[in-house]
């Protein structure tokens, strides 16, 4: 491939050799990214794909002799830096989700919502149950396992097609609580903090508007599909494989039956309240000079958002453990499962960041970077939204795409925002919303897992998933960019 471009350069003297080399490098990046997306869709782990596809990009760029130093000094350094920075968030988030599941808190909250709304509002009930749990910090995978049995009961009673269950769970778990609601502890909402010096409550008013658009748009779509199915005479359908999935795997039956609602809600309230307390009261009123003296290279304003989230998740985990002492079926096993459960998501994302760092070091990336940055030179919000969407779509991961984009373009976007007088808080919210747009393409691991839990196929359910996780979030993103451009961050 490189020889072809060098040949082209010899036949076209007007085309500089450097330009030919850059074109080859750009094509190498496109080929590498395309293969990464395709092979991830085929189910190959990104832990293996990321270094292999990085090596392929380097090979096709004609720099394969440099790959080993690139691997050790670029790929592994970027992977390690990301793991160091976000390890406590992933670890505490996974542990909190497991504690919520095995204590019976997740089950208690979801059943309470079901009791209040009932099967007459089955779709709204499932969406709200998922939303409450994920906004409180419970892993979307834990939520999917916990809510699926409840959803099957509700949808069967209401005679709503089972094929709509994955989209209903996805709306409550993968959209407004992940990217829009102020203070959400989702990892996506934490990733921009060190790049923009913001916190998880960035642009709260715009976040609430975006959340409303996603929620109402998604509910409008799902209720419309349910009504159309009803008119067509389509009911829940016959599904012989609905049995055998526990609502909360490993949870003690007594805990499931007797977990008081207040105790179930308390950890979720603490995640938001403690986070806000330290973000807006404790840290801003603390003299950080002693920290700067001891750690001169540390910028406290860029990490206090992460510190606040760490403290909030730790407080919620401790509260769950203490409040249920004497009622755990096996606390040690719950803690071990939670702690071990964080490793794969963390290193999957960190590997994608390492891949992005290698790609960013290739000559062809400068062409892609300049093209993206110059889409709308006067409004970096649009450029940022495009970059996040593209990379999230390619990797099939909102956190992976967001991490790669900010790792490579974050400083440029911050500079452009400052030059254009745009608030970093607005840049933060747009980045997170955009990462939640095309991340749910068919090769997305979360979508594949959700369909496996529901025992349905892409053909049966993916169109409705796409409508609520891509179309509605894109409308919300456009609205936030328009409002932010006109009125600034609020």
């Amino acid at each position: 491939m490189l020889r072809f471009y060098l040949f082209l350069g010899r036949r076209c003297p007007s085309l500089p050799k450097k330009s030919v080399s850059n074109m080859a490098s750009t094509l190498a990046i496109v080929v590498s990214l395309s293969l990464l997306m395709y092979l991830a869709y085929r189910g190959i782990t990104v832990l293996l794909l990321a270094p292999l596809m990085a090596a392929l990009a380097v090979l096709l760029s004609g720099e394969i002799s440099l790959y080993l130093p690139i691997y050790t000094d670029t790929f592994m350094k970027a992977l390690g830096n990301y793991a160091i920075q976000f390890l406590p968030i992933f670890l505490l988030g996974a542990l909190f989700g497991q504690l919520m599941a095995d204590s019976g808190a997740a089950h208690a909250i979801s059943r309470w919502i079901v009791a209040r709304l009932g099967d007459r509002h089955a779709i709204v009930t499932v969406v709200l149950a998922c939303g409450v749990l994920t906004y409180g910090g419970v892993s979307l995978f834990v939520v999917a396992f916990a809510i699926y049995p409840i959803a099957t009961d509700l949808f069967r009673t209401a005679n709503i097609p089972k094929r709509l269950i994955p989209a209903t769970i996805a709306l409550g778990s993968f959209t407004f609580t992940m990217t829009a609601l102020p203070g959400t502890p989702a990892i996506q909402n934490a990733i921009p903090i060190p790049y923009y010096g913001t916190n998880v409550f960035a642009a709260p008013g715009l976040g609430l508007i975006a959340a409303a658009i996603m929620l109402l748009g998604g509910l409008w779509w799902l209720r419309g599909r349910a009504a159309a199915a009803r008119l067509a005479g389509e009911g829940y359908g016959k599904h012989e494989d609905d049995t055998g999935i526990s609502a909360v795997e490993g949870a003690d039956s007594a805990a499931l039956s007797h977990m008081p609602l207040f105790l179930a809600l308390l950890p979720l309230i603490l995640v938001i309240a403690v986070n806000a307390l330290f973000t807006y009261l404790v840290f801003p009123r603390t003299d950080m000079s002693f920290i700067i003296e001891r750690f001169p290279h540390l910028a406290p304003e860029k990490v206090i958002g992460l510190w606040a989230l760490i403290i909030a998740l730790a407080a919620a985990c401790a509260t769950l453990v203490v409040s249920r002492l004497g009622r755990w079926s096996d606390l040690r096993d719950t803690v071990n499962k939670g702690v071990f459960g964080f490793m794969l998501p963390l290193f999957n994302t960190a590997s994608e960041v390492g891949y992005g760092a290698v790609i960013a070091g290739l000559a062809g990336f400068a062409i892609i970077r300049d093209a993206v940055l110059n889409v709308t030179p006067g409004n970096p919000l649009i450029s940022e939204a495009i970059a996040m969407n593209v990379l999230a779509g390619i990797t099939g991961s909102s956190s992976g795409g967001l991490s790669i984009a900010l790792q490579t373009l974050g400083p440029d976007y911050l500079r452009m925002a400052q030059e254009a007088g745009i608030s970093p808080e607005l840049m933060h919210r747009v980045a997170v919303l955009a990462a939640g747009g095309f991340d749910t393409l068919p090769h997305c691991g979360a979508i594949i897992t959700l369909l496996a839990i529901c025992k349905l196929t892409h053909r049966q359910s993916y169109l409705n998933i796409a409508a609520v996780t891509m179309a509605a979030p894109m409308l919300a993103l456009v609205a936030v960019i328009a409002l932010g451009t006109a009125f600034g961050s609020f």
Side-chain angles (χ1 to χ4, degrees):
M1 186 176 299
L2 179 60
R3 290 178 180 176
F4 169 77
Y5 280 107
L6 291 176
F7 170 77
L8 181 63
R10 288 195 298 269
R11 295 296 300 269
C12 304
S14 61
L15 191 62
K17 289 185 177 180
K18 185 177 180 180
S19 297
V20 173
S21 177
N22 287 350
M23 290 169 60
S25 182
T26 303
L27 184 59
I29 292 172
V30 173
V31 171
S32 171
L33 287 172
S34 300
L35 280 173
L36 175 65
M37 181 169 62
Y38 173 76
L39 294 173
Y41 173 75
R42 302 298 297 177
I44 300 177
T45 173
V46 75
L47 289 174
L48 179 63
L49 282 179
L52 287 179
M53 292 303 101
L56 178 64
V58 173
L59 169 64
L60 296 179
S61 296
E63 302 180 32
I64 191 59
S65 60
L66 298 176
Y67 180 66
L68 287 179
I70 288 174
Y71 176 75
T72 55
D73 194 63
T74 302
F75 184 94
M76 288 306 300
K77 184 178 289 185
L79 182 153
N81 288 340
Y82 182 88
I84 290 170
Q85 192 167 50
F86 292 106
L87 184 147
I89 305 299
F90 277 87
L91 188 153
L92 290 171
L95 175 59
F96 178 64
Q98 195 66 51
L99 289 169
M100 284 289 293
D102 287 2
S103 69
H107 184 79
I109 293 169
S110 60
R111 293 307 307 182
W112 181 83
I113 294 174
V114 168
R116 293 299 176 275
L117 296 179
D119 52 49
R120 290 182 303 166
H121 305 285
I123 291 174
V124 176
T125 299
V126 172
V127 170
L128 291 182
C130 292
V132 169
L133 294 173
T134 50
Y135 188 43
V138 182
S139 163
L140 58 90
F141 297 108
V142 172
V143 170
F145 274 111
I147 296 298
Y148 169 66
I150 298 171
T152 57
D153 290 342
L154 289 171
F155 276 53
R156 185 185 293 108
T157 303
N159 207 28
I160 298 173
K162 182 187 176 183
R163 60 184 175 82
L164 294 178
I165 289 179
T168 306
I169 293 176
L171 175 60
S173 305
F174 300 0
T175 60
F176 60 97
T177 58
M178 185 178 80
T179 63
L181 286 180
T184 177
I187 187 63
Q188 291 81 357
N189 199 32
I191 289 172
I193 291 174
Y195 299 98
Y196 293 147
T198 51
N199 58 63
V200 291
F201 295 92
L206 290 170
L208 288 172
I209 292 172
I213 293 173
M214 291 185 210
L215 176 59
L216 296 177
L219 287 176
W220 172 81
W221 174 269
L222 290 173
R223 290 168 69 90
R225 296 305 90 202
R230 191 179 304 112
L231 289 174
E234 179 187 1
Y236 179 82
K238 293 183 179 180
H239 303 276
E240 298 178 356
D241 53 2
D242 279 347
T243 59
I245 293 193
S246 170
V248 188
E249 186 177 356
D252 182 84
S253 58
L256 290 178
S257 302
H258 302 107
M259 179 69 160
L261 180 64
F262 172 73
L263 283 182
L265 288 172
L266 180 59
L268 307 185
I269 296 170
L270 284 176
V271 171
I272 305 300
V274 173
N275 195 344
L277 176 67
F278 278 85
T279 297
Y280 291 113
L281 292 177
V282 177
F283 286 141
R285 296 181 182 182
T286 301
D287 183 4
M288 298 286 183
S289 58
F290 72 99
I291 295 179
I292 297 174
E293 290 176 4
R294 182 73 181 273
F295 302 95
H297 299 294
L298 180 67
E301 69 277 3
K302 291 192 174 182
V303 292
I304 58 175
L306 290 176
W307 292 348
L309 185 55
I310 289 169
I311 293 171
L313 286 170
C317 288
T319 300
L320 266 169
V321 171
V322 172
S323 67
R324 304 302 288 168
L325 282 178
R327 296 177 178 269
W328 293 96
S329 58
D330 190 341
L331 179 58
R332 183 182 63 181
D333 183 61
T334 292
V335 171
N336 286 342
K337 283 193 295 184
V339 171
F340 294 152
F342 91 95
M343 295 181 185
L344 185 59
L346 172 64
F347 283 101
N348 273 341
T349 306
S351 294
E352 292 171 341
V353 171
Y355 170 82
V358 173
I359 295 299
L362 298 178
F365 183 77
I367 297 175
I368 299 173
R369 181 196 62 208
D370 293 342
V372 171
L373 291 176
N374 293 321
V375 169
T376 51
N379 190 345
L381 295 173
I382 298 175
S383 169
E384 181 185 51
I386 293 173
M388 304 300 164
N389 264 300
V390 169
L391 287 170
I394 288 171
T395 59
S397 165
S398 53
S399 58
L402 186 60
S403 300
I404 292 173
L406 289 176
Q407 181 85 13
T408 55
L409 299 174
D412 291 312
Y413 282 129
L414 182 58
R415 173 185 52 79
M416 293 170 66
Q418 291 170 342
E419 292 173 354
I422 295 175
S423 165
E425 285 74 19
L426 180 55
M427 296 293 291
H428 175 126
R429 188 54 55 209
V430 168
V432 178
L433 287 170
F438 287 161
D439 61 316
T440 50
L441 287 171
H443 63 288
C444 170
I447 297 302
I448 293 171
T449 301
L450 176 60
L451 289 172
I453 291 171
C454 297
K455 298 182 179 179
L456 293 166
T457 66
H458 279 77
R459 185 174 182 178
Q460 290 171 304
S461 298
Y462 183 72
L463 175 61
N464 293 299
I465 294 175
V468 301
T469 63
M470 288 196 289
M474 288 301 295
L475 288 175
L477 175 62
V478 171
V480 167
I481 291 176
L483 290 171
T485 301
F487 304 107
S489 178
F490 60 88

